Amino acid sequence: MNEREFAELAAGAAVHALSAEDEQRYLRALAENPQWQAIADDDADVAALLAAGAPEVAPPASIRAALLDEITRTPQTTTAPEQSGGETRSGGAPRPHRMRMLFALAACLVVLGGLGFGAVAMSGILSPPASVVALQQIESAADAQQASVDLESGGTATAHWSPSLGSVVLVTDGVAEPDPGKTYELWFVRGETPIPAGVFSVDAGAATTQLDGQMQTGDVIAVTVEQDGGSPTGLPTTTPVIVIPTA
């Protein structure tokens, strides 16, 4: 992925509008290219400003009509597939050029209030999930670390953590949905003691989840499959499907 494509994905991430696949591509690219953090920060700042700074105002009908006409006439182009190590990436929505255009249009719509969305109504869309914010904070920390494992059932899981922050975020890709009535539960395994750290679900095999509580040096990050709501006993009831040591 080049810097231009990352910038387009960063615009989508700022308004929480990426598909699960593109969000994983964005997070991986950010982890591999920390020098691009400023791009992500700039887009996040713009999104926050749009969410907080514009009252709901109805523009003249002519402006709204012109804007919608421009949307209709703008060519919906896509970038060429990305080649990496023999693997071809195609598809994914929205694609980069279109996402950058949508980000600009979203700014116009928030300022104009042309479709009846005020700043308060848009704030939920423009605010990134807490887990994504936590991941960005970890990756910005001087002592940021990460470890990945390939899963027997397919897919991968990557733990991102910062000892100074005491924070951990787990990113999964290609992980199967649990059976009906079941959920994934996170654990800090501290010595021989498992400590519950929240539950999570996956969307098309992907998830970005911050663990509840503070990690300690040497903790193992584990995931088990439990009943909805988590283990009723506060202890794992199944063999972990994900185990990631942090030491």
Side-chain angles (χ1 to χ4, degrees):
M1 179 184 299
N2 59 37
E3 185 173 348
R4 177 184 176 278
E5 184 174 6
F6 175 81
E8 309 296 350
L9 291 178
V15 294
H16 193 39
L18 296 182
S19 66
E21 177 187 355
D22 279 348
E23 182 177 3
Q24 296 304 313
R25 293 179 61 218
Y26 163 74
L27 293 174
R28 283 196 297 269
L30 188 59
E32 294 167 1
N33 300 276
Q35 72 274 17
W36 292 348
Q37 181 66 49
I39 298 173
D41 290 344
D42 286 345
D43 281 348
D45 289 343
V46 170
L49 180 62
L50 292 174
E56 183 172 339
V57 177
S62 59
I63 296 179
R64 180 179 184 275
L67 177 60
L68 295 179
D69 181 64
E70 182 64 21
I71 294 173
T72 301
R73 292 187 296 104
T74 300
Q76 307 305 307
T77 58
T78 60
T79 59
E82 177 182 331
Q83 301 281 348
S84 177
E87 177 184 357
T88 300
R89 290 187 180 274
S90 60
R95 298 310 302 159
H97 176 71
R98 178 166 171 76
M99 178 52 63
R100 203 63 177 178
M101 180 190 72
L102 291 175
F103 187 66
L105 291 176
C108 294
L109 291 174
V110 172
V111 173
L112 295 175
L115 298 180
F117 293 113
V120 173
M122 291 293 290
S123 62
I125 299 175
L126 298 178
S127 299
S131 58
V132 173
V133 173
L135 180 57
Q136 292 174 343
Q137 291 172 340
I138 289 171
E139 292 175 335
S140 298
D143 59 350
Q145 300 179 55
Q146 68 180 63
S148 299
V149 294
D150 294 323
L151 308 179
E152 292 183 2
S153 59
T156 61
T158 303
H160 302 259
W161 71 93
S162 161
S164 62
L165 297 176
S167 181
V168 181
V169 170
L170 183 71
V171 178
T172 64
D173 187 20
V175 176
E177 294 274 358
D179 293 335
K182 301 292 185 180
T183 190
Y184 287 117
E185 184 160 10
L186 293 150
W187 306 86
F188 289 112
V189 182
R190 195 160 294 157
E192 300 296 323
T193 304
I195 301 170
V199 298
F200 71 98
S201 59
V202 297
D203 179 9
T208 300
T209 310
Q210 183 178 14
L211 277 68
D212 296 339
Q214 294 284 306
M215 77 167 291
Q216 293 184 10
T217 302
D219 281 353
V220 173
I221 308 305
V223 175
T224 60
V225 178
E226 306 290 346
Q227 68 181 51
D228 278 343
S231 170
T233 65
L235 295 172
T237 64
T238 63
T239 300
V241 294
I242 298 174
V243 177
I244 304 178
T246 65

